[in-house]
Amino acid sequence: MVDLESVAERPLFDVLVRGRSSIDLTFLGLPHLPRLGEEYHATGFAMNPGASFINAAATARLGLRTGYATDLGNDFCSRYIHDQLKSTGIDERFIHFHEQDLTELSVGLSFPTDRTFITWDAAEGWEDRGVLIDDLRRNVVRCIFTHVPLSPDVHAEVRRQGIPVCVDSFWQIDYLHSDRVWQSIEQATIFMPNLIEAFEITGTDTAEDALALLSKRVPMVAIKLGAAGAIGSHHGHMYRVPALKVEVVDTTGAGDNFDAGMIYGLLRDLPFPECLRCGVVAGSLSTRQAGGVEGSATAEEMVAGLLALGPTESEE
């Protein structure tokens, strides 16, 4: 039996986001991918925290009580991220600070429908904090978001408490072809890759085939299709949601914001098709401004976006 008094005394978090932090330097308005030996002048530029910071900031912007399990060092990037964190409403108690360089920096080239990144990680191979058993025993956590598998002891505690695990992937080809990605999928309540990641993981070449294969391993799957919206599966039913029509400035972080929208719907106990709609609205609205954080949707914008979004298509 749950000790209600004990639960009431523990801090409550709607979502605990686990992951690395970085700085994103995003250049906008480029005509095409640069060619060697040539110089290009961007028409816009943004500097924002990136990586899983975007997921945490986006869930907090939607009004969810958010904790962020990450590591920060004594370098410029870590100090910048910490300063930016203070304005988001994200709780800092899960952050571990270290006296070493944990710089992670990404330069993004943004185009109207997609973007590409070049990343440098000063602490390559660093084993980050992750989610700890004590995090789950000292706090009430309603949902966990992660890109990589939870440790076996933490996963056992997650299952004991019945905490849903929301998993996204990330673009690292060795990881996408490894057993670790399948470990994270097996732990997931919902898995939310983008289309290219889904192809690499499954070895398929259509969104429908990737969805069908992944759906055999995880209860809920949502595959991001960029400008085409998203496709998802739950209990053998497939759903499609078109993208919300917005004036796109930059697609950086759209997938991370999509994840936040899905989590928002999940924690409001909405049916899966509505969760998928929330994901698409959050992802679409995030493209209104440069960088992955500034355009993140509020709860009020989510409601308006859902009203403006086209209907969900259901297919057997």
Side-chain angles (χ1 to χ4, degrees):
M1 180 179 294
V2 176
D3 184 345
L4 295 180
E5 183 176 350
S6 172
V7 169
E9 293 174 352
R10 291 153 56 197
L12 172 63
F13 292 91
D14 293 312
V15 57
L16 177 56
V17 174
R18 172 239 200 260
R20 301 285 289 272
S21 301
S22 72
I23 290 181
D24 286 347
L25 306 177
T26 306
F27 294 88
L28 297 91
L30 298 172
H32 49 72
L33 283 172
R35 291 185 288 263
L36 292 178
E38 298 182 0
E39 180 179 359
Y40 299 86
H41 290 268
T43 61
F45 172 78
M47 176 176 172
N48 299 109
S52 60
F53 182 104
I54 301 175
N55 301 92
T59 55
R61 190 82 170 269
L62 285 167
L64 301 179
R65 290 159 291 195
T66 302
Y68 187 26
T70 194
D71 295 82
L72 296 176
N74 59 6
D75 52 276
F76 167 80
C77 285
S78 292
R79 290 193 295 272
Y80 174 81
I81 290 163
H82 189 214
D83 286 343
Q84 295 296 305
L85 191 72
K86 294 174 182 177
S87 65
T88 62
I90 298 169
D91 195 284
E92 296 186 21
R93 75 187 64 203
F94 302 100
I95 298 176
H96 280 192
F97 295 91
H98 307 267
E99 288 299 319
Q100 72 176 84
D101 186 352
L102 293 181
T103 297
E104 187 167 326
L105 187 67
S106 291
V107 174
L109 307 180
S110 181
F111 303 92
T113 59
D114 212 335
R115 76 284 180 274
T116 187
F117 283 100
I118 300 172
T119 297
W120 177 65
D121 182 358
E124 182 69 34
W126 169 265
E127 287 295 329
D128 60 20
R129 175 195 191 283
V131 176
L132 309 178
I133 283 281
D134 283 349
D135 295 336
L136 305 181
R137 292 177 176 170
R138 294 176 180 174
N139 306 277
V140 178
V141 176
R142 296 183 62 205
C143 173
I144 290 174
F145 174 85
T146 180
H147 288 91
V148 296
L150 302 172
S151 64
D153 60 336
V154 169
H155 183 232
E157 182 67 16
V158 163
R159 295 189 64 179
R160 187 187 73 80
Q161 293 191 30
I163 301 171
V165 180
C166 301
V167 178
D168 195 355
S169 190
F170 60 95
W171 184 259
Q172 188 180 82
I173 198 70
D174 291 343
Y175 176 75
L176 295 174
H177 293 170
S178 73
D179 291 338
R180 289 194 74 213
V181 72
W182 288 106
Q183 291 171 17
S184 68
I185 291 168
E186 296 288 355
Q187 292 180 355
T189 307
I190 180 168
F191 183 50
M192 304 174 288
N194 65 34
L195 184 60
I196 300 174
E197 292 161 350
F199 285 163
E200 291 293 338
I201 292 167
T202 63
T204 58
D205 56 11
T206 70
E208 293 77 11
D209 287 347
L211 187 69
L213 194 154
L214 291 168
S215 297
K216 296 176 181 179
R217 308 288 284 271
V218 62
M220 292 182 279
V221 180
I223 298 179
K224 305 157 204 169
L225 304 178
I231 188 171
S233 177
H234 184 225
H235 290 321
H237 291 275
M238 186 171 73
Y239 304 91
R240 295 178 187 271
V241 177
L244 182 66
K245 293 182 180 179
V246 298
E247 186 173 343
V248 176
V249 173
D250 177 24
T251 59
T252 300
D256 305 306
N257 279 272
F258 176 97
D259 298 339
M262 289 292 299
I263 292 169
Y264 172 86
L266 186 70
L267 292 177
R268 290 174 65 87
D269 295 321
L270 298 180
F272 178 78
E274 286 302 302
C275 292
L276 197 62
R277 284 164 54 84
C278 289
V280 167
V281 168
S284 298
L285 291 178
S286 75
T287 67
R288 300 170 296 174
Q289 296 191 47
V293 176
E294 297 301 325
S296 295
T298 64
E300 293 76 16
E301 289 174 322
M302 172 66 78
V303 172
L306 289 170
L307 290 174
L309 186 65
T312 304
E313 299 177 15
S314 176
E315 305 174 20
E316 293 298 327

